[in-house]
């Protein structure tokens, strides 16, 4: 792992990167467990969560998830069969179909988020100011692209 200037990163940067990796692994593990409680795969839960924020075209979902559109189609098909997602015309371009969470899909996504202990318990040990600082630093690391 080399820095942008070709030099090896310092020990603190390596430790921070390793801690971020541990946080990500723990989050994914808990996310998979929470999804399974709703008989969902992690990918299905992720798509449902994204769609609970706003209806989204399938290609945009695929780009966001960094996967093939055909994979997203299969995931949406399964969510649709369970009544959690529906396809509808995009109001901006009726030739395009968007996937959207149904009322039951919104409720399931809300319950799923509430069951992520990792997202709640450790963060509650931080003060609101510390959580805001952590959020702002993570956004900065991501180039301001995180929601």
């Amino acid at each position: 792992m080399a820095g942008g200037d070709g030099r090896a990163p310092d020990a603190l940067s390596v430790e921070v990167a390793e801690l971020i990796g541990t946080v990500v692994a723990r989050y994914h593990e808990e996310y998979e467990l929470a999804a399974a409680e709703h008989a969902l795969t992690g990918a299905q839960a992720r798509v449902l969560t994204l769609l609970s924020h706003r209806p989204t075209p399938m290609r945009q979902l695929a780009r966001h998830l960094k996967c093939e559109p055909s994979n997203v189609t299969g995931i949406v098909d399964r969510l649709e069969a369970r009544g959690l997602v529906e396809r509808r015309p995009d109001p901006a371009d009726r030739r395009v179909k968007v996937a959207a969470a149904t009322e039951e899909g919104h409720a399931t996504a809300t319950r799923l988020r509430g069951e992520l202990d990792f997202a709640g318990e450790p963060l509650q040990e931080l003060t609101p100011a510390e959580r805001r600082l952590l959020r702002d630093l993570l956004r900065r690391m991501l180039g301001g692209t995180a929601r």
Side-chain angles (χ1 to χ4, degrees):
M1 177 165 79
D5 59 6
R7 291 184 296 163
D10 61 278
L12 178 59
S13 295
V14 170
E15 182 181 6
V16 169
E18 289 172 353
L19 288 168
I20 290 171
T22 301
V23 167
V24 168
R26 186 168 167 195
Y27 177 81
H28 281 292
E29 181 181 319
E30 288 203 18
Y31 200 84
E32 292 286 334
L33 291 171
E37 290 293 319
H38 296 277
L40 297 170
T41 66
Q44 289 170 339
R46 181 75 178 128
V47 167
L48 183 59
T49 299
L50 290 169
L51 294 177
S52 72
H53 296 295
R54 74 183 71 63
T56 307
M58 306 286 270
R59 287 197 182 280
Q60 187 176 337
L61 279 173
R63 278 193 305 272
H64 185 83
L65 296 169
K66 295 177 180 36
C67 69
E68 292 296 317
S70 61
N71 292 347
V72 171
T73 298
I75 292 168
V76 170
D77 286 346
R78 288 184 287 286
L79 291 171
E80 189 173 37
R82 292 194 44 198
L84 300 173
V85 166
E86 65 185 5
R87 289 177 171 92
R88 54 173 93 135
D90 185 341
D93 183 349
R94 299 193 64 75
R95 297 170 297 175
V96 175
K97 291 279 188 198
V98 296
T102 62
E103 201 171 305
E104 179 60 25
H106 281 284
T108 300
T110 298
R111 285 192 305 274
L112 181 65
R113 279 190 294 272
E115 293 166 3
L116 293 173
D117 294 335
F118 182 69
E121 290 174 13
L123 290 175
Q124 293 308 312
E125 294 179 18
L126 301 177
T127 67
E130 289 171 329
R131 288 194 303 271
R132 280 191 294 278
L133 176 60
L134 178 58
R135 177 205 58 202
D136 294 347
L137 290 170
L138 291 169
R139 283 181 176 170
R140 185 170 155 198
M141 285 179 66
L142 294 170
T145 61
R147 244 179 13 91

